[in-house]
Amino acid sequence: MAVFIDCRDWSGHDSQWLRVTPLYANLSEAVAAHGLALRGGFHPAPEDASPDAGEGRATRTLVLVGNVGPDLWPHFAPQDDGGRDALDRWTRATMKPIADRFAARCIFPFDTPPLPFQRWAMRAEPVRPSPLGILMHPDHGLWHAYRAALLFAEAIDLPSPDARPIPCDTCADKPCLSACPVGAFSGKGYYVPACAGYLASPEGIGCTTGGCRARDACPVAADRRYAPDQIRFHMAAFKRAVCG
């Protein structure tokens, strides 16, 4: 998997295209050392609304980085200081040196104004919204997330597009829609007040400590479910977001 860099992007002088190391594979190895994973990439078109790659250079390759299953937790948990936005701060501190090493600009889903990470995800890999609204992946189910995007001024080689359908397309029973104790999910939307009210009540302790029952009801990638502490961490953040 070769990568080609137009040297004019770097030196300002005309030069031939150079064959360099397989950047995508090396980048995958770099993020995996921190429990993260490359989540595919694409060569942006104007309608993708990609920010520039820095110094006014157009982005010619966008690569997504995220977490899948429980792999992230052993790397982040020891660094969790218990403060607000701890995972966001850890992600920024982890990804910035990697971006610098690979001469990329790094942006995040928690940046403001918000960036279209879900739309980019659907360009980069075989994901689409599940009946819960969370993006469904054929291998990772609902147990994954996007943490960063790397923007390159070079057109780099990427894995072949994966066009697999999502499991929701052939799921007749859709147990995710019947598992919520207050019916917050209808398949057409998410009724936030019902969910927030339940989480704030004594009865909602099962969701805050054990995880969202609707999400947990999905049979896809059940063996890749988040670690128990990871679920409690995310549910605490979710409860703060919906309950205030």
Side-chain angles (χ1 to χ4, degrees):
M1 193 188 311
V3 179
F4 294 87
I5 296 178
D6 185 348
C7 293
R8 290 171 295 185
D9 289 342
W10 295 97
S11 64
H13 300 289
D14 288 343
S15 181
Q16 64 180 357
W17 288 63
L18 299 180
R19 186 181 182 93
V20 295
T21 54
L23 187 148
Y24 193 89
N26 292 341
L27 182 58
S28 179
E29 186 175 303
V31 301
H34 301 278
L36 296 165
L38 295 190
R39 306 296 308 274
F42 58 95
H43 301 112
E47 60 269 23
D48 292 313
S50 170
D52 67 49
E55 300 179 357
R57 298 176 299 167
T59 295
R60 297 172 66 188
T61 307
L62 186 153
V63 176
L64 290 173
V65 180
N67 59 275
V68 295
D71 300 345
L72 169 72
W73 196 247
H75 297 266
F76 165 69
Q79 309 300 321
D80 181 10
D81 59 14
R84 197 171 185 87
D85 303 321
L87 181 55
D88 293 348
R89 289 184 282 108
W90 175 87
T91 301
R92 195 183 294 277
T94 299
M95 287 303 304
K96 182 62 168 62
I98 294 175
D100 290 346
R101 173 183 163 192
F102 288 89
R105 178 186 176 191
C106 196
I107 57 176
F108 304 92
F110 45 83
D111 285 337
T112 53
L115 295 163
F117 267 76
Q118 288 210 341
R119 177 149 52 94
W120 293 343
M122 289 186 277
R123 285 272 277 121
E125 58 177 353
V127 293
R128 287 210 321 276
S130 68
L132 304 183
I134 306 170
L135 292 181
M136 167 63 72
H137 190 282
D139 299 325
H140 313 308
L142 302 176
W143 304 106
H144 65 99
Y146 300 91
R147 298 287 168 207
L150 293 168
L151 310 178
F152 295 87
E154 301 79 37
I156 67 173
D157 267 356
L158 296 171
S160 299
D162 186 343
R164 286 179 293 165
I166 64 167
C168 302
D169 293 343
T170 54
C171 179
D173 295 336
K174 293 190 170 37
C176 58
L177 294 180
S178 58
C180 177
V182 291
F185 300 98
S186 66
K188 297 180 179 179
Y190 164 47
Y191 188 55
V192 178
C195 177
Y198 188 74
L199 289 178
S201 72
E203 292 79 11
I205 189 68
C207 294
T208 55
T209 59
C212 171
R213 298 181 197 180
R215 187 178 195 175
D216 208 35
C218 176
V220 181
D223 60 336
R224 295 292 288 158
R225 191 174 186 265
Y226 288 168
D229 287 349
Q230 186 176 4
I231 287 175
R232 285 190 286 272
F233 173 88
H234 287 299
M235 287 303 299
F238 180 71
K239 183 177 179 180
R240 286 194 298 270
V242 299
C243 298

